[in-house]
Amino acid sequence: MHHVIIGNGITGITAARTLRKLSDDTITVISGETDYFFSRTALMYIYMGHMRFEDTQPYPPEFWKKNRINLLKKWVKQVHVDSKLIEFDNGDTLEYDTLLIATGAQSNKFGWPGQDLKGVQGLYSYQDLLELEANTRNGINRGVIVGGGLIGIEMAEMLHARKYPVTLLVRETNYWNNVLPEQESDMISHHIRHHGFDLRLNETLTEILGDAQGRVRGVITGSGEEIACQVVGLTAGVAPNIAFLKGGSINVDRGVVINQHMRTNIESVFAAGDCAQFQHALPDRRPIEQVWYTGKLQGECAAKNMLGMPTLYNPGYWFNSAKFLDIEYQTYGTVLNKLRDGESEFYWEHPDREKAVHIVYRTEDRLFIGINVFGLRMRHDIFNTWLQQGKSVDYVLTHLRAAHFDPEFYRHFEDAVIQSWNAQHPNHMITLADAKSAKKMIFKNA
Amino acid sequence: MSELNTSISLTQTYPAKFNALQKTGLTLTGIGILTIFLAWAGAGTTQPLLCLLITIIGLFSGGILYTYGTYGHLPKGIKNNRNFISSISSGGTLAWISAVAITGFYVVLYWRDHWKTVFGTDIFSGLVHMFDPLSQLLRKSDADQWFVYGSFYTIAVLIMGTKFIYKYRHNNYQILRTCSVMFFQLGFAWLIPGIMKALYNFEPFYSYFWPLDYDAIFPGTLSYMLDRPGNLGVFFIFWGIVMSFIATPLLTYFFGKRWYCSWVCGCGGLAETAGDPFRHLSDKSISAWKIERWMIHSVLALIILTTILILVSDVIGEHLKLSINQYVYYAVLIGLAYLVYRGIAKSGSQMRLRPTMIVLGCITGFLILYALIPNLKTGDQVVSFSTAGLAKWYSFSIGMVFSGVIGVGFYPIMGSRVWCRFGCPMAAYMGVIQRFKSRFRITTNGAQCISCGNCSTYCEMGIDVRAYAQRGQNIVRASCVGCGVCSAVCPRGVLKLETGPDNAARTEVLFTSEDLKILV
């Protein structure tokens, strides 16, 4: 058997490693982007000088040979599913028995005038990083970031690290409030401004202006203001990178359409990660999941199905994390930006506006549904267990100390959280369990 | 491959853009350093107090102003911008110049008496005399070169410690740990020995224990201590033995070796403060790890052997001696070298030539040569070893060259923990306990790792932290000194230093993708 994977990101590589763990088959990973797998999420740290590119590669070069995973640095032009053949842009071909499409995504461009000028770019690939280096090589006076998401804030932080002023144009009324509830969104907006960024909420992009050389020289906003800048970051989301499949017989919509076995409409062709779109989304989840962890889970699931071990995509409870400048964010379970019918919430925020806890539960039976944590660290395994066991919000709050994951000697905020809860819920007063019982819960395997 | 490296050249050295406070701080530091040279050139003999005051005020005020100028206007949080761009912290020109200068300074200082005979004059007198007023105040005697060295060392720990604390002012673990190493350096390694010198003409260091303080239980040291006035010497011996053989294993069991390496030790103290700008330069390759394990455990074995032999020879009343034919000896040496090579090269991955390997290879070669030369007698074609020779060799090669010169001088090239990682027998001793019988681990938070590499990059001990974290495994490694920086730089809150039950769960992969699935 020859398994071929297009894309050497976290999804493709997780699939390759899983295939190797479970079989002795031939494995080939194709990527035109880089020679070796690197952590896409770390691109910003290279630009800021925290790491070198090779530091973002999770496995040393000898790893691939040792695990007999063939790497091929080529761009795919077309897939011929009838003859099970991949055609590269230089005319070469490669035969496969099973194929995994894990080509990731690319930055959205919504047809703005001037969006193809020099100095206008997204941030997703290694090539994007090189482009940003080139675009700022001679220094810039200002960068404008369009779109208020996770990549937007990263790009803003990158430019800021090199002491370039940054303006963020965000369509929403508050930062990322299409995902975050209003309270957290407001706190993050405050934090972004506290760092000295020019954050424009309720603001859109109308046009990107170019100079005689075809380089960006400024933008015109929705409210008609002209802002001079030399770099424009387009970070209004990403879309599946599947142009090479258009017009072929693999079924595509926004992404490559797959079923719960990660299989496309073609028997031997699978897709996973940022480029894949579930025909039927799982409850509480989106049809296209574009985060690191789902890429990992989908890659593993796809590999098992490629080996003929029928495995349904069953990712368990949602979790994610991010970092907004200096505020870390972790989430477990489901906390949507707006409460759904039958849901209640509890929100606590520290007066310093850098720490917050947001808990959502079912009003009727008080079932714990999810938590957002900002500026504090909490334990994944503890929350996953509580979600699995269907614990109540009262149970979660009582044992909140067991979830604490901040470094030693950090101030604890469980008492403040519970105080705030008790003030709001006199009929459901909580007494925090002591540190000893928390320790017992953490080290339950003892 | 060529394309891979372009990002580094593409990451251009854009200007640092210093603000007024930073410039003032650098100016004052420059004046402090200039005064050191003026004192060295002779002003220290004629105007010691003035030189000393300008130096100390210049360095401290400069350091603090620069720190405030660098971090003061920024919100608290991780500050690693430009680490791989600045010349000094990325192994560039400034790094090499400082490495050579610091190494050279130590060499010059160590052989002060030798240079006296070479040059016919004490080239150090100005610098040493500058410290006379301070030494008189503290020790009631004039300064010597070791007081000068100790004072500079303490100044570096205090200034750079302050900088480190301010840089990590959001992190209580880092603040407390750094206060602790500053306290132990200032109090236990500078003030107390100085005061004891004034009162009893005896300079005990209560924060170094065997096997790091390698001659602590040599017969010579023991008899010297027993001659001290009162029970001071007896207490020193008692303290040392309790710390080495009872407190160290116990504390390491409960807290990991960090209780010493990153909270108490002076070598660690300098590494964590003055060495912080270089921590990311440690080599993370598997081959470096292999060399590390060979070297550090060899040093531990060597000092145990040396100590036992020297105690035995003291009991039986004569030096043990071993003489062998020099050709037999050469054959054994080549055989050993081959075995070491096989051992390192065996486990599969290719041995690529890296700076670490070249430097460490040269050091090893030099140390072996040094051990041979004094023992080679012309004519009789015999190589002889004696316990006295062995102790002398250890003292020079390990105690001086490795821990002193290389340990500090190579910071800007090989990272801040070269000695701690490749040579320190105390670290090796505690490492064995930490690896096999301890409650300490770095816990990985479920499946939150995004493999970004910050933890591995900023591990001064060269541990590939990410390799464990990305598969949901806790990190239990002999070499971890528990500095907590991996946890601090992690952007997703994945790592936490903690102590828990010492059972199988400490190292197992506890959280795989299987665990994420709903149990049905």
Side-chain angles (χ1 to χ4, degrees):
Chain A
M1 281 289 267
H2 185 199
H3 305 287
V4 175
I5 298 165
I6 311 178
N8 70 350
I10 180 63
T11 308
I13 292 305
T14 306
R17 288 180 52 242
T18 310
L19 288 168
R20 177 48 70 239
K21 253 188 253 171
L22 302 176
S23 81
D24 255 334
D25 298 347
T26 309
I27 303 167
T28 303
V29 179
I30 303 162
S31 168
E33 185 185 16
T34 52
D35 291 288
Y36 304 110
F37 166 51
F38 72 100
S39 178
R40 198 169 293 293
T41 48
L43 281 177
M44 62 185 292
Y45 300 109
I46 303 169
Y47 186 84
M48 295 181 357
H50 295 207
M51 285 191 271
R52 296 161 299 183
F53 177 61
E54 58 263 41
D55 299 322
T56 67
Q57 293 169 349
Y59 305 101
E62 54 267 26
F63 174 89
W64 309 105
K65 204 173 165 190
K66 211 171 122 190
N67 288 286
R68 291 171 291 127
I69 295 172
N70 308 314
L71 304 178
L72 209 54
K73 195 175 182 214
K74 280 184 173 166
W75 292 108
V76 174
K77 188 180 165 197
Q78 222 178 332
V79 179
H80 303 281
V81 293
D82 298 332
S83 44
K84 290 194 167 187
L85 209 64
I86 291 166
E87 185 187 336
F88 298 103
D89 61 355
N90 65 353
D92 292 355
T93 56
L94 181 73
E95 279 181 47
Y96 64 82
D97 293 309
T98 69
L99 175 67
L100 175 65
I101 299 163
T103 48
Q106 55 194 8
S107 307
N108 277 329
K109 287 183 171 186
F110 292 121
W112 292 292
Q115 67 181 16
D116 295 319
L117 288 165
K118 279 181 222 148
V120 181
Q121 65 164 112
L123 183 77
Y124 185 90
S125 66
Y126 176 64
Q127 282 70 24
D128 290 336
L129 175 73
L130 298 185
E131 198 182 336
L132 189 63
E133 282 289 359
N135 283 334
T136 54
R137 165 162 284 167
N138 301 317
I140 61 169
N141 296 324
R142 179 168 295 274
V144 171
I145 308 296
V146 183
L150 295 177
I151 299 179
I153 192 68
E154 283 182 8
M155 236 178 142
E157 186 176 356
M158 289 159 80
L159 295 175
H160 189 69
R162 295 206 183 173
K163 304 189 182 177
Y164 302 135
V166 177
T167 298
L168 291 120
L169 306 183
V170 175
R171 190 183 53 181
E172 287 80 25
T173 50
N174 245 334
Y175 205 88
W176 212 35
N177 71 359
N178 50 337
V179 174
L180 294 180
E182 202 53 35
Q183 298 98 320
E184 289 99 309
S185 180
D186 191 59
M187 188 177 91
I188 295 302
S189 296
H190 168 82
H191 185 66
I192 292 171
R193 291 199 167 116
H194 179 63
H195 270 256
F197 294 83
D198 174 25
L199 173 63
R200 315 275 183 98
L201 298 168
N202 292 308
E203 187 61 281
T204 53
L205 174 69
T206 302
E207 189 184 347
I208 305 171
L209 307 169
D211 61 15
Q213 285 80 45
R215 285 203 65 86
V216 58
R217 65 172 172 86
V219 297
I220 296 180
T221 68
S223 55
E225 189 185 340
E226 182 175 329
I227 302 172
C229 63
Q230 294 73 40
V231 166
V232 172
L234 300 179
T235 60
V238 295
N241 176 27
I242 49 167
F244 70 105
L245 296 174
K246 292 266 156 73
S249 37
I250 300 172
N251 190 9
V252 295
D253 179 28
R254 279 194 294 145
V256 184
V257 179
I258 52 168
N259 63 15
Q260 304 303 319
H261 286 103
M262 318 304 291
R263 199 187 301 269
T264 66
N265 60 317
I266 309 291
E267 179 68 19
S268 54
V269 180
F270 299 78
D274 285 11
C275 67
Q277 176 183 356
F278 286 102
Q279 194 161 14
H280 306 288
L282 290 173
D284 285 1
R285 301 178 81 110
R286 296 165 186 236
I288 305 180
E289 297 181 327
Q290 293 171 317
V291 301
W292 183 264
Y293 316 103
T294 53
K296 235 173 160 171
L297 291 166
Q298 291 185 15
E300 187 181 329
C301 182
K304 288 180 180 166
N305 286 303
M306 287 165 85
L307 288 171
M309 306 161 56
T311 309
L312 284 171
Y313 178 60
N314 186 2
Y317 289 98
W318 178 260
F319 67 99
N320 196 9
S321 68
K323 193 173 180 185
F324 302 93
L325 304 174
D326 292 323
I327 299 184
E328 287 173 16
Y329 154 63
Q330 296 180 330
T331 185
Y332 302 109
T334 308
V335 179
L336 299 179
N337 63 338
K338 288 193 176 64
L339 282 183
R340 291 173 293 189
D341 286 344
E343 284 181 348
S344 294
E345 65 177 345
F346 164 67
Y347 182 72
W348 168 86
E349 186 179 304
H350 190 270
D352 71 4
R353 302 215 72 190
E354 290 185 352
K355 300 169 201 66
V357 173
H358 198 149
I359 295 177
V360 172
Y361 58 99
R362 204 152 66 193
T363 318
E364 187 191 9
D365 57 1
R366 312 184 62 72
L367 175 77
F368 171 69
I369 294 175
I371 184 168
N372 273 355
V373 184
F374 285 79
L376 304 169
R377 295 175 171 181
M378 294 208 187
R379 287 181 202 263
H380 186 180
D381 59 338
I382 292 266
F383 275 113
N384 202 54
T385 308
W386 288 346
L387 284 163
Q388 280 174 358
Q389 296 173 347
K391 297 293 188 195
S392 69
V393 62
D394 309 272
Y395 181 93
V396 167
L397 284 166
T398 305
H399 297 283
L400 199 57
R401 204 172 258 151
H404 176 94
F405 197 70
D406 274 340
E408 295 153 295
F409 305 113
Y410 268 45
R411 254 191 75 191
H412 282 247
F413 294 96
E414 291 87 16
D415 281 318
V417 172
I418 298 306
Q419 245 174 31
S420 159
W421 165 275
N422 285 344
Q424 292 170 40
H425 304 86
N427 298 327
H428 286 285
M429 298 281 267
I430 300 285
T431 312
L432 198 59
D434 61 12
K436 214 171 157 186
S437 81
K439 194 131 203 177
K440 227 172 181 172
M441 201 170 268
I442 295 165
F443 299 115
K444 55 190 176 295
N445 299 307
Chain B
M1 205 54 211
S2 61
E3 198 185 331
L4 270 184
N5 292 324
T6 53
S7 77
I8 303 153
S9 55
L10 263 176
T11 309
Q12 64 264 38
T13 53
Y14 53 88
K17 295 182 193 167
F18 286 133
N19 58 34
L21 272 177
Q22 285 172 303
K23 286 175 190 162
T24 316
L26 289 173
T27 307
L28 289 166
T29 307
I31 291 172
I33 292 172
L34 178 68
T35 312
I36 294 171
F37 285 111
L38 292 178
W40 201 336
T45 311
T46 52
Q47 291 286 350
L49 190 60
L50 185 67
C51 289
L52 185 70
L53 285 176
I54 298 177
T55 300
I56 289 180
I57 293 171
L59 293 181
F60 273 94
S61 62
I64 286 164
L65 277 182
Y66 179 78
T67 298
Y68 191 69
T70 308
Y71 306 124
H73 61 291
L74 298 172
K76 36 189 192 174
I78 293 303
K79 304 278 173 272
N80 282 330
N81 290 346
R82 293 179 58 83
N83 275 354
F84 276 106
I85 292 165
S86 300
S87 175
I88 184 74
S89 59
S90 64
T93 318
L94 283 179
W96 278 91
I97 291 175
S98 2
V100 173
I102 300 167
T103 309
F105 180 74
Y106 196 93
V107 169
V108 174
L109 197 79
Y110 187 81
W111 279 285
R112 185 186 177 194
D113 293 334
H114 175 70
W115 303 119
K116 263 185 208 167
T117 56
V118 171
F119 296 111
T121 172
D122 180 10
I123 53 165
F124 256 106
S125 66
L127 188 60
V128 174
H129 283 309
M130 177 172 84
F131 279 92
D132 281 344
L134 191 60
S135 184
Q136 282 293 348
L137 186 72
L138 180 68
R139 305 154 81 228
K140 300 272 175 287
S141 56
D142 278 345
D144 55 24
Q145 74 264 41
W146 297 117
F147 182 71
V148 173
Y149 181 72
S151 301
F152 275 133
Y153 199 105
T154 308
I155 289 170
V157 169
L158 293 180
I159 295 175
M160 294 301 283
T162 309
K163 179 170 183 274
F164 186 86
I165 287 173
Y166 204 64
K167 177 179 173 186
Y168 281 100
R169 65 191 193 275
H170 61 289
N171 189 316
N172 284 351
Y173 183 76
Q174 299 303 336
I175 294 172
L176 280 171
R177 183 174 74 76
T178 310
C179 287
S180 175
V181 291
M182 287 162 75
F183 168 79
F184 279 103
Q185 178 58 36
L186 181 64
F188 280 66
W190 196 77
L191 280 175
I192 291 176
I195 292 167
M196 294 294 280
K197 166 91 176 165
L199 297 177
Y200 306 107
N201 194 27
F202 148 63
E203 292 182 276
F205 290 85
Y206 292 106
S207 53
Y208 292 96
F209 326 111
W210 188 90
L212 175 55
D213 186 5
Y214 54 89
D215 61 358
I217 45 178
F218 281 6
T221 315
L222 296 180
S223 58
Y224 170 82
M225 285 300 163
L226 293 174
D227 285 345
R228 292 306 96 197
N231 290 324
L232 285 171
V234 177
F235 174 74
F236 186 81
I237 296 170
F238 171 76
W239 171 255
I241 288 175
V242 168
M243 288 310 293
S244 294
F245 300 105
I246 299 169
T248 296
L250 274 179
L251 289 167
T252 309
Y253 171 73
F254 282 107
F255 304 110
K257 71 200 239 189
R258 57 182 173 154
W259 76 268
Y260 189 71
C261 294
S262 62
W263 284 74
V264 173
C265 178
C267 306
L270 192 73
E272 295 295 343
T273 54
D276 177 61
F278 312 110
R279 58 169 61 247
H280 50 280
L281 300 172
S282 59
D283 192 330
K284 275 63 174 197
S285 65
I286 291 175
S287 33
W289 184 19
K290 287 178 191 161
I291 294 172
E292 166 196 318
R293 286 185 292 179
W294 272 95
M295 283 192 85
I296 194 167
H297 295 116
S298 303
V299 173
L300 177 62
L302 195 65
I303 190 56
I304 292 174
L305 184 74
T306 306
T307 307
I308 291 173
L309 286 179
I310 209 157
L311 286 172
V312 168
S313 66
D314 189 62
V315 169
I316 62 171
E318 60 174 313
H319 283 304
L320 300 169
K321 206 167 176 180
L322 174 71
S323 300
I324 47 174
N325 180 285
Q326 69 176 43
Y327 298 109
V328 174
Y329 177 72
Y330 290 143
V332 169
L333 205 65
I334 291 167
L336 274 176
Y338 178 72
L339 282 179
V340 170
Y341 170 77
R342 289 291 301 167
I344 294 173
K346 210 170 142 193
S347 10
S349 72
Q350 305 117 308
M351 293 286 284
R352 280 173 300 152
L353 221 51
R354 290 167 179 278
T356 316
M357 294 164 61
I358 298 169
V359 173
L360 292 177
C362 292
I363 295 166
T364 317
F366 166 74
L367 296 181
I368 291 171
L369 272 181
Y370 180 83
L372 286 178
I373 293 162
N375 287 312
L376 262 182
K377 287 181 196 147
T378 45
D380 57 3
Q381 292 180 341
V382 157
V383 181
S384 45
F385 298 94
S386 70
T387 47
L390 191 60
K392 209 179 130 204
W393 178 83
Y394 186 93
S395 155
F396 175 79
S397 304
I398 308 291
M400 211 293 285
V401 176
F402 203 163
S403 83
V405 180
I406 294 159
V408 177
F410 285 26
Y411 274 16
I413 303 169
M414 289 172 57
S416 50
R417 288 270 193 182
V418 177
W419 159 248
C420 313
R421 182 183 178 191
F422 295 97
C424 178
M426 183 84 182
Y429 166 39
M430 291 187 294
V432 173
I433 300 169
Q434 173 162 292
R435 171 67 185 78
F436 295 106
K437 196 68 199 165
S438 166
R439 297 166 62 86
F440 173 72
R441 87 287 304 274
I442 304 174
T443 305
T444 292
N445 193 11
Q448 288 280 26
C449 177
I450 51 164
S451 304
C452 70
N454 272 296
C455 51
S456 297
T457 303
Y458 285 90
C459 178
E460 54 190 351
M461 296 302 282
I463 300 171
D464 189 358
V465 185
R466 166 175 58 192
Y468 303 83
Q470 69 189 356
R471 50 187 170 137
Q473 185 177 14
N474 292 341
I475 297 107
V476 174
R477 276 281 290 268
S479 60
C480 174
V481 292
C483 70
V485 169
C486 57
S487 161
V489 298
C490 174
R492 303 297 172 106
V494 176
L495 303 164
K496 177 176 163 71
L497 278 60
E498 66 183 345
T499 49
D502 172 33
N503 57 17
R506 195 163 78 104
T507 50
E508 269 170 22
V509 177
L510 287 175
F511 213 86
T512 65
S513 56
E514 292 298 323
D515 299 312
L516 286 175
K517 289 169 191 165
I518 306 163
L519 303 167
V520 280

